[in-house]
Structure formats: structure tokens, C-alpha cells
Amino acid sequence: MAHEENIALRQRYELLKGAEHHKNALIEELLRRVDQLTEDYHQERLDHARESHFNRDVQRKEMELQDELRKYKTVMDRDAFVLVLIDGDGMIFDDKLTSRGELGGREAAGLLWSSVTDFVHQNVPNLPSDYKVVTRIYANLKGLGDTCHRSGIIERPDMLDDFARGFTGSKQLFDFVDVGMGKDRADDKISEIFKLHLYDCHCRQIVFGCSHDNGYARLLEDVSEPSILNSITLLEGVPFERELAQLKTKYRTTRFEGLFRNTKINIYQQHYIQQPMQVQVQQSQPQPQSPTPQMNGLPPPPVQYQSPYQPTFSRATSGSPGNAAAHNPVAPTWASTAMTAPLVASPPPTPQPAPQPPVKQVPRNRYGQRIDPVAQYDPNEVKRIKKLKMCNVHFLRNDCPYDPCTHDHHYKPNKNELATLRYVSRMTPCKFGSECDDLKCIYGHRCPSDQEGKKDCRWGENCRFDRGVTRD
């Protein structure tokens, strides 16, 4: 009995001992958690203080940046402008403006300014109200003036100089620039001005007038950023050339009706067809009669017109009825004198001018289109000449405008190499096409790769030349 009671007490003790152990373990775990929470709390306080400090710095910097942005925006808006860039060799103002010389130039500048402002108000958002319109037109004034004069648009070639003077003087930011003689001078200047302002933050829109020249397609193909594409508008005068027409889905286009010609100048059609030949008929006017007194009751002698030919007299043969009359003339009377035509001396012979050497002319077909001579070529020789990198302008025209030039000026080509070089140069289309009248032009006016008896060349639709130019 006593033994069983001892066992029960020991069991109860073990129970109490286990409970005490669990209590101690619980208390120890609670203390560890308190320590961890205390450490986390201090860390959170540090983090909060750091974040608060950082946020204050960020807010301060943000406010400073906003102030800077407002300043920059003010500066950008203050000098914002729209650039109108035109190749004047092909984008030619309407005849009614060009024919008026300086007054026409002033009127053209006013109409262009009005057309540009109307266009940007409708198509260019967020444009400051005090923006400026800057216009640059580049052209060969002498060559263009001669062409307009020969086509009957202007009375004399220097009227185009008057037009450019009026255009430039009408507004402070409008310039009609003469680039002088030489191929691609206007193209090169326009390309550089275009690149200079393409990424200019002050330039909000470029109105680019170049619809006549496929050469600008390479310049426009290099632009790919959407924001930059939206800042370019292609201005159409004559219809867009084939390669430029393919870019119409990529760029915005517009046309200013009545301001620029929508057809190319055809000096042959206008000179020979539109202007009828004027034939002047000179009518002979009778000479005034001077009063002549009557003699011996005879009427006054009639007025005689002098014949341009000297009268001839034939000597009568012996025995002929007229022989006596020839050797025994009747005494002259007033009547016989008046009825006889006066003798007029023969005019001296007109001196014949010295023969002049034949004037070189641009070869053209029956439609007035310029053509190039058909040349036979060796494909391997063409490849070799291309690799030599000779300057076409230097060797074929002797007036290279580039200094320094990126091509070779020191090679000594022979006659056959020069002929092949001329063929290589003809592979580049002339910007004036079949209307070119430059005797020294080294570029192509008809596809040099076409084949006799076929409409298209071996390049087919990819040919860069006008397929409407025929051989004859």
C-alpha cells in the first residue's frame, strides 16, 4: 500500500517537472521573440528615417528639374521655327509670278508664307504662337533664268535675278540663294541644311520641296524615328518621281495650289508650238508726188518707181528696122523723158560673211527629248574603271567643285578608259532629265543599258531612268 503511494507521488512530481520545463521553454522563446522584434523595430526606424531623407532629396531634385524643364521649354518655345527648304532648280514658282520679276518675287514670298502658316496651324500641334517661318531656296539662277527665257516665261534671263531679289527682300528670314553653275550644287547644300536641322529641337517642322528629284529619296530613307518622321512634310510641285512617290506612305505630303508649277518646263514645246510664227508683210508705199509744171500743153509726167535692176539695151543688127532708130534717136521731149524709167545703178554685191564653225547642239530626238549616244562597253572594263574611283567631274568636265575631293584626280586615263568612264557616269540619271541643255553634262538622260528594239532595259521596272525617252 505504502509502495503504491510512493509511485503515485513520483509520477506527480515528474508531471510537475515536465510542466516546469515547458514553462521555461515557453518563457525563453517569448524572450527571443521580444529581442527579435526589438531589433526589427530599430531597423525599421532606421529605414524609415533613411527613406524620409531620400524622399525629401528626391522631391527637392524633382522640383529643381521641373524648374529647369520650364526654363528649357521657355527657351525652345521662344526660338521655335518652321523650315521651308526648296530645290529651286525643279520646284519653280508659277509662271504668272516668275514673269513679273521683282514684284512677282515679293508676291511669291507673301503667298508662300500664308500657305505655310495655314498648313502648320492645321497639322502641327503644340506650336508656339510666335514661331517663325524660315525659307531657303537654292538654285542655279543663271541656268534657270536662261531656261525660263527660252521657254517664253520671262522676257529676258536676268528677270529671274530680279525675282530672287524681290523674294529675298520681302521678309527677313526668306532667302533665294544662287548656288552658281555646276551639277548637284543645290542638292549638296540642301542635304547639309536638312541634316543640320533634322534633330534641332527649335525646328518644329521641315517643309521639303523636292518632288522632282529622285536623288533626295536616299536622304529621306535614312530617317526612321517616328517622332522625326512626323516633323517632315514633303511639298509637291511637279508630280513626285517614282522613288519619292514610294515614300508618300511614310511622310506627310502637301501641295500649295497655284504657287508652284505642276509640270516641268518644256522649252521646245512652248517655243515651237505655243508661240505661232509671226509673218510680217511689208506693203510698198507710193512715193509722194511733187508738183510738176505743165510744159508745151502736156500733162505732168507720171511718178515712176525705181526698178532695182538696171535696164539693158540691145544693139540692132544691120538691116533691121530698129537699126535706124538705134543710130538716129529722136530728140527727147518732156513726154518721152517722163515715160522712160530712170536708170538706176546696180547695187554693189553684198559681202558674204566668213563661214562660221558649226555650233554644237545637244542631241535630241524628234520629240525634243535629250538623248545620249549608244555606246558599246565591256562589263569587265566597267567594273575595273569603277574600282579606280576616278573623279567623273574632274576628268570629264575639268571643273570639280570639291576641295578636297574624295575621288582620284591624279590617275592618267587613256582614250578608251575615258570613254568607259563616260559610260559609267551616264549610269547616274541627270536631275534635269530629258530637258537638260548643258553641253558639258556628264550624266545620263536615257538609260545606257537599254537594248535595241525593246521598250525597257534589262533592269525592268527597277530602272532609274525615264522610260518615256526614245532613241529617235
Side-chain angles (χ1 to χ4, degrees):
M1 184 70 177
H3 180 70
E4 294 177 355
E5 291 179 355
N6 291 338
I7 293 174
L9 289 173
R10 186 171 293 279
Q11 291 176 347
R12 291 174 63 189
Y13 170 72
E14 292 295 335
L15 290 174
L16 290 174
K17 184 180 177 182
E20 189 69 21
H21 176 74
H22 288 296
K23 181 187 72 173
N24 294 336
L26 177 61
I27 293 173
E28 291 177 358
E29 183 178 356
L30 291 174
L31 292 174
R32 286 196 300 270
R33 291 190 179 184
V34 169
D35 293 339
Q36 183 65 39
L37 290 173
T38 301
E39 184 179 355
D40 293 343
Y41 169 72
H42 288 296
Q43 187 64 41
E44 286 294 330
R45 289 187 62 184
L46 291 174
D47 293 343
H48 177 71
R50 184 171 59 253
E51 291 292 335
S52 299
H53 180 73
F54 177 77
N55 289 337
R56 283 193 297 269
D57 289 344
V58 169
Q59 291 175 355
R60 179 174 55 83
K61 291 183 180 296
E62 182 180 1
M63 294 175 63
E64 292 176 356
L65 290 175
Q66 289 178 352
D67 291 339
E68 291 293 329
L69 287 175
R70 281 192 292 268
K71 292 179 182 179
Y72 287 135
K73 188 175 185 303
T74 302
V75 173
M76 292 170 58
D77 292 344
R78 185 173 56 201
D79 295 326
F81 66 92
V82 173
L83 175 63
V84 182
L85 196 57
I86 296 176
D87 187 339
D89 287 332
M91 288 283 294
I92 303 174
F93 284 95
D94 192 84
D95 295 356
K96 66 178 182 294
L97 298 172
T98 310
S99 61
R100 296 179 58 198
E102 185 170 349
L103 292 178
R106 292 181 178 275
E107 182 180 355
L111 292 174
L112 180 59
W113 186 89
S114 300
S115 300
V116 171
T117 53
D118 291 342
F119 169 78
V120 297
H121 286 162
Q122 298 176 7
N123 297 276
V124 183
N126 303 323
L127 193 64
S129 58
D130 58 345
Y131 73 94
K132 302 176 179 63
V133 178
V134 180
T135 300
R136 297 287 183 270
I137 302 178
Y138 296 91
N140 172 13
L141 286 181
K142 184 179 185 305
L144 185 59
D146 291 340
T147 301
C148 292
H149 172 62
R150 293 170 58 190
S151 64
I153 298 176
I154 55 179
E155 296 179 357
R156 59 184 192 281
D158 60 357
M159 285 188 66
L160 196 65
D161 295 326
D162 299 338
F163 178 89
R165 188 181 306 111
F167 184 92
T168 302
S170 63
K171 297 186 181 296
Q172 293 182 349
L173 298 178
F174 277 41
D175 292 315
F176 201 122
V177 182
D178 181 13
V179 299
M181 300 293 290
K183 286 287 186 181
D184 299 333
R185 289 192 176 182
D187 303 47
D188 295 340
K189 289 183 177 292
I190 289 174
S191 297
E192 291 302 318
I193 295 296
F194 180 86
K195 295 176 184 178
L196 178 65
H197 294 289
L198 184 60
Y199 297 98
D200 185 354
C201 61
H202 300 285
C203 182
R204 301 301 181 85
Q205 188 73 197
I206 298 179
V207 181
F208 196 13
C210 61
S211 62
H212 64 287
D213 192 348
N214 273 325
Y216 292 109
R218 253 64 65 197
L219 179 66
L220 295 169
E221 288 171 351
D222 295 337
V223 182
S224 58
E225 300 180 19
S227 60
I228 303 300
L229 291 174
N230 293 332
S231 66
I232 301 174
T233 300
L234 302 183
L235 177 61
E236 184 176 12
V238 298
F240 285 105
E241 292 293 334
R242 179 171 58 86
E243 295 183 37
L244 291 172
Q246 296 174 357
L247 298 175
K248 293 175 65 175
T249 57
K250 185 177 179 181
Y251 290 94
R252 181 192 298 118
T253 62
T254 187
R255 172 189 290 274
F256 298 154
E257 295 295 340
L259 187 55
F260 295 97
R261 290 179 57 95
N262 55 15
T263 59
K264 295 182 179 180
I265 296 178
N266 189 335
I267 58 176
Y268 301 96
Q269 180 178 358
Q270 295 191 19
H271 186 68
Y272 293 109
I273 299 178
Q274 293 185 0
Q275 296 182 355
M277 181 181 296
Q278 297 181 357
V279 181
Q280 296 182 354
V281 180
Q282 297 182 352
Q283 297 181 353
S284 301
Q285 299 294 332
Q287 298 179 357
Q289 299 181 4
S290 58
T292 306
Q294 294 185 359
M295 298 181 62
N296 299 327
L298 297 175
V303 177
Q304 300 291 323
Y305 296 101
Q306 295 184 351
S307 171
Y309 305 101
Q310 181 177 2
T312 58
F313 299 90
S314 59
R315 182 179 301 272
T317 57
S318 59
S320 63
N323 187 30
H327 293 280
N328 298 293
V330 181
T333 63
W334 177 254
S336 61
T337 302
M339 295 300 294
T340 303
L343 300 180
V344 181
S346 300
T350 303
Q352 297 296 328
Q356 300 293 330
V359 179
K360 293 184 177 180
Q361 295 182 352
V362 172
R364 299 187 181 274
N365 60 18
R366 57 182 174 178
Y367 303 106
Q369 300 168 323
R370 178 166 182 170
I371 56 176
D372 301 320
V374 179
Q376 301 295 330
Y377 67 95
D378 182 0
N380 295 327
E381 181 68 7
V382 170
K383 293 179 181 178
R384 186 184 71 84
I385 293 297
K386 287 183 176 180
K387 292 180 180 179
L388 294 177
K389 296 293 183 182
M390 288 189 288
C391 176
N392 298 347
V393 181
H394 172 73
F395 288 106
L396 301 180
R397 288 183 63 101
N398 198 26
D399 60 353
C400 178
Y402 304 106
D403 186 15
C405 180
T406 58
H407 289 69
D408 185 15
H409 284 204
H410 303 291
Y411 185 79
K412 303 297 183 182
N414 57 36
K415 182 178 179 181
N416 293 332
E417 289 175 330
L418 283 176
T420 305
L421 181 64
R422 185 174 298 278
Y423 175 82
V424 172
S425 181
R426 296 287 189 198
M427 293 180 177
T428 301
C430 173
K431 63 180 294 185
F432 297 103
S434 61
E435 299 175 7
C436 176
D437 56 0
D438 184 2
L439 284 171
K440 297 175 63 178
C441 181
I442 63 175
Y443 299 100
H445 309 90
R446 181 180 57 83
C447 177
S449 301
D450 62 355
Q451 302 177 22
E452 187 72 32
K454 294 185 179 180
K455 182 178 180 181
D456 297 333
C457 74
R458 60 191 179 93
W459 299 106
E461 295 183 354
N462 295 323
C463 181
R464 297 185 295 168
F465 288 83
D466 184 3
R467 290 177 290 175
V469 180
T470 61
R471 291 178 179 268
D472 52 5

